[in-house]
Amino acid sequence: MDPFADTLQRLREAFRSGQTQAADFRAMQLKGLGRFLRENKQLLQDALAQDLHKSAFESEVSEIRISQGEVNLALKNLRAWMKDEKVPRNLATQLDSAFIRKEPFGLVLIIVPWNYPLNLTLVPLVGALAAGNCVVLKPSEISKNMEKVLAEVLPRYLDQSCFAVVLGGPEETQQLLENKFDYIFFTGSPRVGKIIMAAAAKHLTPVTLELGGKNPCYVDDDCDPQTVANRVVWFRCFNTGQTCVAPDYVLCSRETQERLLPTMQSAITRFYGEDPKSSPDLGRIIGEKQFRRLQGLLGCGHVAIGGQSDESERYIAPTVLVDVQETEPVMQEEIFGPILPIVNVRSLDEAVDFITRREKPLALYAFSNNSQVIKRVLTGTSSGGFCGNDGFMHMTLTTLPFGGVGASGMGRYHGKFSFDTFSHHRACLLRAPGMEKIYAIRYPPYSPRNQRLLLAAMETRSCSCTLL
Amino acid sequence: MDRKVQRARAAFRSGRSRPLQFRLQQLEALRRMVQERERDILQAIGADLCKSEFNAYSQEVISILGEIDHVLEKLPKWVTPKPAEKNLLTMLDEAYVHSEPLGVVLIIGAWNYPFVLTIQPLIGAIAAGNAVIIKPSEVSENTAKIVSKLLPQYLDQDLYVVINGGVKETTELLRQRFDHILYTGNTAVGKIVMEAAAKHLTPVTLELGGKSPCYIDKDCDLDIACRRITWGKYMNCGQTCIAPDYILCEPSLQSQIVQKIKETVKEFYGENVKESPDYERIINLHHFKRIINLLEGQKIAYGGETDEATCYIAPTILTDVDPEAKVMQEEIFGPILPVVPVKNADEAIKFINDHEKPLAFYIFSHNNKLIRRMIDETSSGGVTGNDVIMHFTLSSLPFGGVGSSGIGAYHGKHSFDTFSHQRSCLLKSLKREGINKLRYPPNSQSKVDWAKFLILKRFNKGKLCLLMLTVLGIVAAVLVKAGYY
């Protein structure tokens, strides 16, 4: 017995009824999301604090405000985004109406991870609802407190005939995936991404996979070490390192490493105090399993800064490791914690080579005063996104598409890109009446005369003009 | 095979497929190939599908030439990074989206339009700077042979490689890792391709099929509708993924439709269709048998003649077709046109929505409101109103399916986008670290308020904004220094 069959049937019927098509309905759903965020701010902050020891600042900036911004953006632009997009015509279609119609896919499944459980729920949800889909949301069971809020409070703000939350772990998710969806949006690890795509293949369901990897951070000799240290440390330790786009490891020369270490220590002390454990601005690791994995990584290379951990609190100190080998675990898996290994390279070329030997990451960072160096790293590599001289600031711009490439993912979203991702772009050509005598050129029986006429028509305009 | 793919990857890694000049040169070479070897290409296509040279030219070669010319003209613009609108926080930075090649792309062609369905994706893949492995359909073996012979004579031999073979070789090929796979073919194999792609997290574009419905409204120019439907249906002997598969109309229209199509067939192919040089044949015996099987138990209003020796099936129309009949259960891909009577447009809409989303939807009507309503209330890969096939020919329209008719789209710039990674780039400077102090811990509520303002407000370039930012920056730096934060 499929426990989800009834829920999915209900949502499918709601979609069939056409109720999600109207702009007013979609706007109402989006306004509901806005109210959910405004009326439950304390509840949401508490849940984030309980799950991840997230500070009020981080909750505001990286979860609540970002989500609110996306809701507002969608509300403001909904009608413009929904409009049919006119396209340039060729000679044969000059008098016709040619446009791309954005249509909802139908039933969308959004699978959310635990690290930014509010943001990574709401931002895709905004796109899916704005595009007119019905949505099944599967929050992460690991961020238990947020899971509860999403399951119990969020549905009250949305039309529940078009929206459902399903709960469970890997087993339930596997069962859920046996059903057919019209789109699946998944954020999580590459390993699970493969499972999701394989399940989607059985139903030919299109997917967006926001995965991860090891995001390299190249630091050039020509830079200001304190500024670099501030930026790298902050982005590494934000959300206790549990960010898919966090700088995962540093590539720099030995000399630069020596300049960076004291500045990194200085940054850590300034940000989190002498005893980072007691700083309210440093979070905790989400769970036992993840904590133990990170604790294990502390044994790689040598600890240059930090290295402390406390199991009772799932606390890992902001740590910098040096003398790490490529084969060690800390350089083999995505760290997802406040640990920053430094790998030495002797030149820019060696750094680029190091990066391109590995899987394409979700984000790539390069720090240098020399814009040529930045450009060289950019052009010599590939990644989901890139930021020169800072951390994941590129994510705050909704006008930049956010997504991976290769093992770090496929597809993209944020802002209008979300709306487009959750829409089928339907090509529409509505032919003007008349003109049949002209179109008769395409009909058999064919003769050399037809061919000559056809070619003449082709030559009058050098554009894609076929099957006249 | 493994070696060929590895060689293509090494060639890609060398970076030579990236410069714009190189891509343009290769596309120009491809154009020369099509023009200089036109005869050979047309003959190959003709041998595979019993197609006249004129048909092969107008259905396949023209599309390719048009596409190459279009890409040659637009590519310099497409490769230019696209600036992105910035917010206050990123005001002084460079923000843009840069299209990059994905790497090694696999294109699996189909047999029904064996040249265009292999070469048109190739154009996009080259334009986007990739290396390409091309796997033409083994069913259209003459075209596969000619493509495999000609491409290395004109294009870079390491970057663009043709691999031939059947199911076994294709399965082997799919075990390799690619950076994108574009497959044209049927739904069943589409699933296999996607499953294989999932193992490597390879994105896919699947151009599949289905039963494309054609609704004929009683308020339409029936003469023209029937001429156009005849053209689109019997072209390539019905073996077109976007052919109108079946007709939906009110029962009273059936006999007129049959009459008019009958007349048009005579006009197009003469009294003896079998002798018309413009009428093709079914690709092989397997499909021939499959198609005539669909005629079982049906009311043949016109046509129905077959000749196994030549895989000939006459243009055929079936009337009063039962939706449960065999002919309504699978994509026909042959010259049989079932007419399914429905009471009205509402019933037609319901019928369409009760079935899998098709690759194309056609509607003939004078009533624009009805056309719009039918588009609003159904879904399909694409639509042509008051004609058939034509949305395929406008490359500014994305060509692709939805649901079981496919994933993704291509043609024109859509090919370029499909075969590129659009990488978001933000370039900041190491200066103005002062303002960043707002974001660093230890934190406070006022920092939050500042952050909110800076992230959420959006501006474009403008002197006033620059001035504002400078002022804000100074104020912020001063406040930070003064210890307010």
Side-chain angles (χ1 to χ4, degrees), chain B residues 135-424:
Chain B
K135 198 345 238 141
S137 170
E138 70 284 11
V139 177
S140 44
E141 42 176 337
N142 296 286
T143 311
K145 278 206 195 94
I146 200 73
V147 165
S148 151
K149 180 171 155 213
L150 294 180
L151 278 187
Q153 290 177 12
Y154 286 81
L155 300 181
D156 184 304
Q157 295 184 11
D158 290 324
L159 284 169
Y160 314 112
V161 180
V162 180
I163 295 182
N164 277 316
V167 173
K168 193 163 139 258
E169 287 80 8
T170 310
T171 309
E172 185 57 48
L173 192 56
L174 284 169
R175 282 204 200 101
Q176 304 282 323
R177 184 178 182 179
F178 295 97
D179 300 295
H180 195 101
I181 300 176
L182 187 146
Y183 166 76
T184 307
N186 68 57
T187 303
V189 179
K191 290 181 182 175
I192 296 172
V193 172
M194 190 168 170
E195 246 181 83
K199 293 195 168 65
H200 297 292
L201 287 170
T202 299
V204 297
T205 299
L206 304 175
E207 298 274 328
L208 309 177
K211 295 181 75 60
S212 299
C214 179
Y215 177 70
I216 302 179
D217 188 34
K218 60 180 185 293
D219 174 21
C220 79
D221 186 330
L222 203 54
D223 284 334
I224 290 187
C226 291
R227 284 169 74 73
R228 297 180 178 187
I229 290 169
T230 306
W231 169 69
K233 175 72 195 187
Y234 300 117
M235 160 196 304
N236 206 33
C237 210
Q239 297 163 118
T240 307
C241 51
I242 45 170
D245 188 278
Y246 64 99
I247 290 179
L248 290 167
C249 66
E250 286 178 30
S252 58
L253 290 176
Q254 279 192 109
S255 54
Q256 289 178 74
I257 289 172
V258 172
Q259 186 57 31
K260 290 181 195 287
I261 292 182
K262 202 164 137 175
E263 282 162 15
T264 312
V265 166
K266 286 213 174 74
E267 193 194 315
F268 288 0
Y269 304 110
E271 285 294 335
N272 190 345
V273 178
K274 210 165 166 204
E275 285 173 15
S276 166
D278 299 319
Y279 191 72
E280 288 89 359
R281 298 292 181 268
I282 300 302
I283 184 84
N284 61 25
L285 206 55
H286 162 76
H287 281 284
F288 174 85
K289 288 199 169 129
R290 177 187 65 79
I291 296 166
I292 59 177
N293 214 350
L294 301 176
L295 290 172
E296 205 180 285
Q298 293 305 313
K299 193 155 114 193
I300 297 178
Y302 174 65
E305 302 88 9
T306 66
D307 174 22
E308 192 169 310
T310 53
C311 286
Y312 166 80
I313 300 182
T316 302
I317 311 173
L318 309 173
T319 48
D320 291 313
V321 177
D322 176 6
E324 301 304 311
K326 223 191 301 190
V327 75
M328 288 304 292
Q329 301 310 314
E330 62 182 73
E331 186 174 357
I332 296 166
F333 229 61
I336 296 176
L337 182 61
V339 181
V340 177
V342 286
K343 270 206 289 279
N344 49 33
D346 284 316
E347 203 178 290
I349 291 172
K350 183 169 183 303
F351 187 94
I352 293 167
N353 290 337
D354 282 340
H355 292 78
E356 292 292 346
K357 295 176 188 175
L359 188 51
F361 169 55
Y362 303 112
I363 167 172
F364 287 87
S365 177
H366 281 137
N367 185 346
N368 282 327
K369 272 216 177 88
L370 176 67
I371 294 182
R372 296 265 168 181
R373 181 163 80 89
M374 289 195 88
I375 295 177
D376 288 347
E377 294 179 22
T378 59
S379 187
S380 64
V383 179
T384 296
N386 286 322
D387 206 337
V388 295
I389 314 283
M390 294 305 286
H391 63 283
F392 177 95
T393 69
L394 185 57
S395 68
S396 53
L397 286 174
F399 182 71
V402 65
S404 63
S405 55
I407 295 179
Y410 72 119
H411 282 193
K413 180 164 195 287
H414 307 286
S415 298
F416 177 83
D417 290 339
T418 285
F419 291 118
S420 302
H421 168 53
Q422 268 122 37
R423 189 182 193 187
S424 293

Side-chain angles (χ1 to χ4, degrees), chain A residues 54-369:
Chain A
K54 218 179 271 235
S55 66
F57 177 84
E58 284 196 12
S59 295
E60 273 285 358
V61 158
S62 68
E63 300 250 30
I64 297 172
R65 289 298 146 193
I66 302 249
S67 304
Q68 191 69 61
E70 287 273 353
V71 170
N72 295 344
L73 189 70
L75 274 170
K76 184 166 157 215
N77 295 289
L78 184 62
R79 281 167 174 80
W81 291 350
M82 282 174 71
K83 257 187 154 146
D84 290 335
E85 191 188 313
K86 290 205 163 70
V87 298
R89 293 162 294 188
N90 60 19
L91 189 58
T93 50
Q94 244 346 277
L95 300 175
D96 306 328
S97 177
F99 57 91
I100 300 174
R101 160 69 58 93
K102 310 283 170 81
E103 298 183 341
F105 280 106
L107 188 54
V108 167
L109 171 63
I110 298 176
I111 302 177
V112 191
W114 50 260
N115 58 335
Y116 290 86
L118 181 63
N119 172 338
L120 297 176
T121 298
L122 249 69
V123 179
L125 187 54
V126 164
L129 293 176
N133 297 286
C134 286
V135 180
V136 173
L137 183 71
K138 164 60 194 90
S140 170
E141 71 283 12
I142 297 176
S143 44
K144 286 187 168 21
N145 295 282
M146 184 56 77
E147 186 195 32
K148 193 151 181 276
V149 176
L150 293 173
E152 291 172 13
V153 182
L154 177 59
R156 288 188 230 145
Y157 291 83
L158 297 172
D159 185 322
Q160 293 191 44
S161 61
C162 308
F163 175 78
V165 179
V166 303
L167 304 178
E171 241 179 75
E172 286 80 10
T173 309
Q174 194 80 6
Q175 215 177 0
L176 183 62
L177 285 168
E178 273 158 32
N179 292 282
K180 178 177 179 180
F181 292 93
D182 301 303
Y183 204 94
I184 298 177
F185 186 98
F186 169 78
T187 308
S189 74
R191 184 189 65 84
V192 180
K194 291 180 181 177
I195 297 172
I196 305 283
M197 190 172 172
K202 293 195 163 60
H203 298 289
L204 286 171
T205 301
V207 300
T208 291
L209 305 174
E210 297 274 330
L211 310 176
K214 293 183 74 59
N215 307 317
C217 181
Y218 173 71
V219 181
D220 192 38
D221 291 340
D222 175 12
C223 73
D224 167 36
Q226 189 59 67
T227 302
V228 173
N230 290 347
R231 298 179 184 192
V232 174
V233 164
W234 188 61
F235 284 101
R236 171 77 280 190
C237 296
F238 195 91
N239 201 30
T240 331
Q242 298 163 116
T243 309
C244 51
V245 282
D248 188 275
Y249 64 96
V250 166
L251 283 167
C252 66
S253 65
R254 191 132 226 142
E255 298 75 48
T256 298
Q257 177 181 297
E258 295 314 310
R259 287 154 70 218
L260 278 177
L261 287 173
T263 54
M264 284 181 169
Q265 178 67 75
S266 154
I268 291 170
T269 309
R270 248 180 308 117
F271 295 170
Y272 308 111
E274 290 292 340
D275 177 26
K277 201 166 164 199
S278 54
S279 163
D281 298 317
L282 186 63
R284 295 293 181 264
I285 302 305
I286 184 78
E288 288 297 320
K289 196 175 102 181
Q290 293 82 355
F291 172 82
R292 265 187 235 114
R293 179 184 64 82
L294 286 165
Q295 206 179 33
L297 296 182
L298 292 170
C300 299
H302 291 122
V303 173
I305 301 174
Q308 300 89 0
S309 62
D310 180 348
E311 187 158 349
S312 64
E313 278 188 43
R314 295 196 301 279
Y315 165 78
I316 303 259
T319 301
V320 178
L321 301 174
V322 295
D323 300 326
V324 294
Q325 299 301 319
E326 245 188 286
T327 47
E328 292 185 86
V330 79
M331 286 308 292
Q332 292 297 315
E333 58 188 69
E334 185 175 357
I335 294 168
F336 232 62
I339 299 171
L340 186 67
I342 301 183
V343 174
N344 295 134
V345 285
R346 280 163 305 190
S347 65
L348 179 52
D349 283 335
E350 202 181 302
V352 169
D353 190 63
F354 187 94
I355 294 167
T356 53
R357 265 189 287 122
R358 303 164 138 258
E359 293 294 348
K360 294 175 188 174
L362 186 52
L364 215 159
Y365 303 106
F367 287 83
S368 176
N369 280 323

